[in-house]
Amino acid sequence: MITKHPIYNDFPEYSDKIKELYHNNDEFQVLLNSYSELDTKIFKIETDEELAMDDELTHLRKDRVFLKDEIYNFLKDS
């Protein structure tokens, strides 16, 4: 099943911290917005709303994993 990957679902234990950082930390806000935009783009490709080559989709998925790791490290270290 094709679904979006909201960061709150991936890190429910950090939901309060995500909200706090989003409202109080510009760097985290940029990271989270970038992740959300990328996740939406991937979802649109996977649901055939937008077209992309397989290589491009693979690259976008890798970028999403990288951003998710960055977000996790930010949450863990804050």
Side-chain angles (χ1 to χ4, degrees), residues 7-8 10-22 28 31-32 68-78:
I7 208 71
Y8 289 102
D10 292 330
F11 304 121
E13 69 277 16
Y14 288 111
S15 63
D16 290 337
K17 194 172 218 179
I18 291 168
K19 289 175 193 170
E20 176 197 334
L21 287 169
Y22 184 78
F28 186 78
L31 270 175
L32 194 57
K68 188 181 291 187
D69 287 345
E70 290 292 307
I71 290 169
Y72 175 74
N73 288 329
F74 204 106
L75 291 168
K76 183 178 59 135
D77 296 340
S78 294

Side-chain angles (χ1 to χ4, degrees), residues 3-67:
T3 62
K4 286 190 174 186
H5 296 268
I7 208 71
Y8 289 102
N9 289 354
D10 292 330
F11 304 121
E13 69 277 16
Y14 288 111
S15 63
D16 290 337
K17 194 172 218 179
I18 291 168
K19 289 175 193 170
E20 176 197 334
L21 287 169
Y22 184 78
H23 293 292
N24 298 311
N25 187 296
D26 292 339
E27 184 181 353
F28 186 78
Q29 191 176 61
V30 168
L31 270 175
L32 194 57
N33 285 336
S34 296
Y35 176 86
S36 296
E37 288 172 10
L38 186 57
D39 188 50
T40 298
K41 181 170 183 66
I42 291 168
F43 180 77
K44 286 180 178 181
I45 293 169
E46 290 174 337
T47 57
D48 296 327
E49 193 175 323
E50 289 185 13
L51 298 177
M53 301 295 290
D54 287 342
D55 290 348
E56 180 184 359
L57 181 56
T58 298
H59 181 73
L60 293 171
R61 286 176 175 154
K62 287 179 183 179
D63 288 346
R64 181 175 60 189
V65 169
F66 174 79
L67 283 172

